[in-house]
């Protein structure tokens, strides 16, 4: 099985920074993409940033957040700067992972989520 374990959430004042980390483990043949989503209370889960063949950012994240990967460590990071109260949400790591050499073995996996709270 595959597990994604996140860390780095917390409480920060507006204008501050946080760095989220997510490490994949288990039966992994290849990691095709890794990314971050978030879900605020009463809202749908939304993409924040992803890193695969290309890098994608939500408009709200552009210029403030940076996604990066350490492939050797099977880890994805999200550096979040100039945080705003509207960034408050549970942040989820997502990864598209192949567990066998054939492409049909790929699936999307989710972490348990980490809370980010930005106070004004």
């Amino acid at each position: 099985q595959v597990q994604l374990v996140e860390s780095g959430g917390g409480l920060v004042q507006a204008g501050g920074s946080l760095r989220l980390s997510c490490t994949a483990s288990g039966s992994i043949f290849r990691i095709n993409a890794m990314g971050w989503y978030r879900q605020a209370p009463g809202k749908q889960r939304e993409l924040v940033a992803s890193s695969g063949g290309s890098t994608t950012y939500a408009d709200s994240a552009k210029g403030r957040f940076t996604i990066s990967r350490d492939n050797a460590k099977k880890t994805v990071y999200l550096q979040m700067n100039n945080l705003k109260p509207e960034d408050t949400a549970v942040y989820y790591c997502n990864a598209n992972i192949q567990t066998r050499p054939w492409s049909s073995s790929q699936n999307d996996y989710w972490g348990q989520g980490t809370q980010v709270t930005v106070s004004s």
Side-chain angles (χ1 to χ4, degrees):
Q1 292 297 324
V2 173
Q3 285 188 320
L4 300 179
V5 179
E6 302 138 334
S7 62
L11 173 64
V12 65
Q13 288 188 332
S17 298
L18 283 174
R19 188 192 194 208
L20 306 182
S21 300
C22 170
T23 298
S25 64
S27 180
I28 298 172
F29 174 77
R30 177 187 295 126
I31 299 177
N32 296 319
M34 299 185 83
W36 292 93
Y37 287 70
R38 69 185 182 187
Q39 187 166 18
K43 295 188 177 181
Q44 289 188 330
R45 190 173 298 188
E46 62 177 6
L47 174 69
V48 177
S50 66
S51 175
S54 60
T55 300
T56 302
Y57 291 96
D59 287 343
S60 60
K62 290 178 182 177
R64 299 188 299 127
F65 295 1
T66 302
I67 189 170
S68 60
R69 286 172 61 179
D70 184 331
N71 292 327
K73 295 182 179 179
K74 299 183 179 64
T75 298
V76 62
Y77 305 96
L78 185 68
Q79 177 66 44
M80 304 186 292
N81 298 327
N82 190 22
L83 282 160
K84 304 175 181 180
E86 51 264 42
D87 294 317
T88 296
V90 178
Y91 284 69
Y92 295 92
C93 177
N94 171 267
N96 184 270
I97 294 174
Q98 277 180 239
T99 55
R100 297 291 185 269
W102 43 93
S103 61
S104 60
S105 70
Q106 64 179 336
N107 280 296
D108 278 343
Y109 296 88
W110 293 90
Q112 79 283 0
T114 185
Q115 177 70 45
V116 170
T117 303
V118 184
S119 63
S120 57

